[in-house]
Amino acid sequence: MWEAINNFLVAVDDKVWGVPLMVLIIAGGVLLTSRLGLLQVRRLPLALKWMFKNEEEGDGEISSFAALCTALSATIGTGNIVGVATAVCAGGPGALFWMIVAAFFGMATKYSEGLLAVKYRVVAEDGHSLGGPFYYIERGMGPKWKWLGKIFAFFGVCVGLFGIGTFSQVNGISSAVQNFFDPDKTNCINIPFLGQYSVAVVVSSLILAFFVAAILIGGVKRIAAVSQIIVPFMAVIYIIFSVALIICNITEIPNAIVTVVTAAFNPKAVTGGVVGSMIVAMQKGVARGIFSNEAGLGSAPIAAAAAQTKEPVRQGLVSMTGTFIDTILICTMTGLSIVLTGAWQVEGIEGVQVTTYAFQHGLPLPAKFTAFVLMLCLVFFAFTTILGWDYYSERCLEYLTNGHKTKIIVYRWLYIFAVFIGPYMTVSAVWTIADIFNGLMAIPNMIALFALSGVVAKETKAFFKAEKHKM
């Protein structure tokens, strides 16, 4: 029976995350790129400048940089290390090309989400900012569309509690810790009703639950404060090691680039027939790009709404840098490392093992040391994802319950409990359900972005016209 249910869920997941949804998200990005006149190229230097420069006298709870780090805490996760490896192995090196293409158009999408989040946000009675797709659907498209906002919020709560925010991330952390400290499970203890588990898994789950609880109880300001430290620190460390790997193999870069571009349009020429068509390479790359940076899913604008700013366009530009950092920088470096070292062609390894192989064979450093650094990056990336998704799902619940504080506090403790039991959850159906909800979130959000694309274009034009007069 359970196998039949799981097969049904997998079939639904394949339909939800099939070609139609990816076409919808990419089409939205192309439309917005066109209406904004390649803004992601023309205004990227300004966006990077404003990323660190706080706006004076802006409304909101946290700085624009803190809002960006809160959003990045949820998007920079195991997908940047494990997901890219999976995409390149399944779709060939050409998947990396399509991943970058998806991210390029995704920058326009993420800009629009950030702009609309600030434009249509509201302030709660206690002074904290509320915003996201549910508010720009209700206030931008009109009250008659409130039902669509509630559907988005419901899916957002489900995604947070049932997997993306909890089980899958915690499981990733415990697996990474066990693989490094106790790969042969030599030190195990028996847990009643659950079975035997490595001491490394048990200890890591207790430590993780404690730190998650300590941070989440402090609300968005504490989440933002932690994210501002961990996200840039771990991203910089990962980028340094990736750049070092690329420099150490710099003579192979021209061949790697030719391989990636060739495989994007003619996979058989590179994979020897393992990946049969351009459609497969495109599907794997686009799907991984969307999963990684979440452009179009509607999660990041929930964090953007809390930014201290009076200018929706300004926050839109800052939000846009999230996709640039997440996919065009970090995911590209991971993919390039895998292609340069030939890790994607090694048989018998998958997921994080592929990236670990690339780092161990591409860097002139002890294999144990590079494995430790990668484990550390995985643990902290997954940890911040847990924090970011709690914030998202709590805001969704706040919208659904009209700010009922007791329900939100109960949900927070349920979330912490889910983190605590995460390492012992091995039901793949749980992750599949979360995957489905994640995809379903995108549908109401993309409907809103299509409907409000004119508002985005008008706001952008008016802002830069006013800025030009100031100069």
Side-chain angles (χ1 to χ4, degrees):
M1 179 185 171
W2 284 112
E3 189 178 343
I5 292 172
N6 193 52
N7 290 339
F8 170 75
L9 289 171
V10 169
V12 172
D13 187 33
D14 289 341
K15 292 289 184 186
V16 170
W17 275 110
V19 174
L21 180 58
M22 286 189 285
V23 168
L24 177 70
I25 293 174
I26 294 296
V30 171
L31 172 69
L32 291 163
T33 297
S34 173
R35 297 202 72 164
L36 295 169
L38 286 173
L39 175 131
Q40 63 266 57
V41 176
R42 294 185 297 108
R43 302 296 181 182
L44 182 60
L46 184 63
L48 293 169
K49 175 187 173 184
W50 280 347
M51 187 173 78
F52 298 102
K53 188 179 178 182
N54 293 331
E55 186 178 343
E56 295 177 9
E57 300 178 1
D59 303 318
E61 296 177 80
I62 55 178
S63 69
S64 290
F65 181 68
L68 174 67
C69 286
T70 303
L72 281 174
S73 71
T75 55
I76 297 180
T78 52
N80 296 76
I81 297 173
V82 182
V84 177
T86 305
V88 173
C89 288
L96 180 59
F97 175 87
W98 295 113
M99 191 185 303
I100 295 167
V101 170
F104 174 77
F105 292 115
M107 287 173 71
T109 306
K110 192 68 76 78
Y111 164 81
S112 304
E113 290 177 328
L115 183 154
L116 293 170
V118 172
K119 180 173 175 62
Y120 293 110
R121 69 184 173 184
V122 297
V123 179
E125 290 179 5
D126 61 359
H128 74 273
S129 300
L130 295 170
F134 27 82
Y135 279 108
Y136 56 71
I137 288 171
E138 181 187 336
R139 302 184 75 206
M141 295 173 66
K144 66 179 181 180
W145 290 95
K146 189 173 181 177
W147 61 271
L148 193 65
K150 286 190 176 290
I151 288 174
F152 173 89
F154 172 74
F155 291 147
V157 171
C158 293
V159 170
L161 192 59
F162 295 132
I164 299 294
T166 53
F167 300 136
S168 57
Q169 301 298 331
V170 179
N171 216 274
I173 289 174
S174 59
S175 297
V177 170
Q178 182 189 294
N179 288 342
F180 185 82
F181 290 105
D182 190 17
D184 301 320
K185 292 187 178 181
T186 51
N187 300 302
C188 290
I189 56 173
N190 192 54
I191 301 175
F193 308 111
L194 293 173
Q196 276 201 333
Y197 286 88
S198 169
V199 173
V201 170
V202 176
V203 171
S204 64
S205 69
L206 289 169
I207 294 171
L208 182 64
F210 172 78
F211 279 107
V212 167
I215 294 165
L216 295 188
I217 290 167
V220 65
K221 290 186 178 178
R222 194 175 295 175
I223 291 171
V226 172
S227 298
Q228 278 186 99
I229 297 168
I230 294 178
V231 171
F233 179 67
M234 292 316 301
V236 166
I237 286 179
Y238 187 73
I239 288 169
I240 287 171
F241 273 81
S242 298
V243 169
L245 188 154
I246 291 166
I247 291 171
C248 288
N249 298 272
I250 200 160
T251 55
E252 298 296 321
I253 287 180
N255 286 336
I257 293 172
V258 169
T259 299
V260 168
V261 176
T262 303
F265 299 97
N266 185 14
K268 288 183 180 178
V270 173
T271 63
V274 177
V275 176
S277 70
M278 186 180 92
I279 297 297
V280 176
M282 188 186 294
Q283 188 174 1
K284 298 296 180 184
V286 171
R288 177 45 50 207
I290 293 167
F291 266 117
S292 177
N293 58 56
E294 297 180 8
L297 298 192
S299 49
I302 300 172
Q308 290 172 342
T309 180
K310 290 182 178 179
E311 294 292 350
V313 169
R314 187 181 176 118
Q315 185 54 39
L317 288 171
V318 174
S319 295
M320 183 179 81
T321 62
T323 300
F324 179 77
I325 293 165
D326 177 273
T327 308
I328 293 179
L329 280 186
I330 297 178
C331 286
T332 299
M333 287 181 178
T334 302
L336 207 52
S337 300
I338 291 166
V339 176
L340 279 170
T341 56
W344 65 281
Q345 294 172 302
V346 179
E347 292 184 10
I349 60 172
E350 59 183 8
V352 70
Q353 296 171 318
V354 177
T355 314
T356 303
Y357 178 95
F359 272 60
Q360 288 179 332
H361 288 78
L363 287 166
L365 296 168
K368 197 74 174 174
F369 176 71
T370 52
F372 175 75
V373 170
L374 206 58
M375 179 210 69
L376 212 59
C377 289
L378 262 171
V379 167
F380 280 103
F381 283 170
F383 176 67
T384 55
T385 299
I386 293 168
L387 302 181
W389 267 102
D390 171 76
Y391 176 68
Y392 290 163
S393 51
E394 278 193 25
R395 285 294 187 260
C396 289
L397 184 64
E398 190 169 352
Y399 180 77
L400 283 173
T401 62
N402 294 317
H404 197 289
K405 290 186 178 179
T406 305
K407 289 178 182 175
I408 293 165
I409 290 169
V410 169
Y411 175 84
R412 190 176 297 170
W413 283 106
L414 278 172
Y415 194 93
I416 291 165
F417 178 71
V419 170
F420 177 69
I421 65 169
Y424 316 110
M425 296 291 291
T426 55
V427 184
S428 60
V430 171
W431 299 325
T432 310
I433 291 168
D435 224 13
I436 293 167
F437 283 130
N438 208 346
L440 291 173
M441 277 177 69
I443 297 171
N445 182 55
M446 288 309 301
I447 291 170
L449 289 178
F450 274 104
L452 300 172
S453 61
V455 175
V456 174
K458 186 179 176 182
E459 284 275 334
T460 305
K461 188 177 180 181
F463 175 81
F464 285 111
K465 189 176 181 181
E467 283 289 303
K468 197 174 181 180
H469 286 307
K470 288 179 186 178
M471 293 170 68

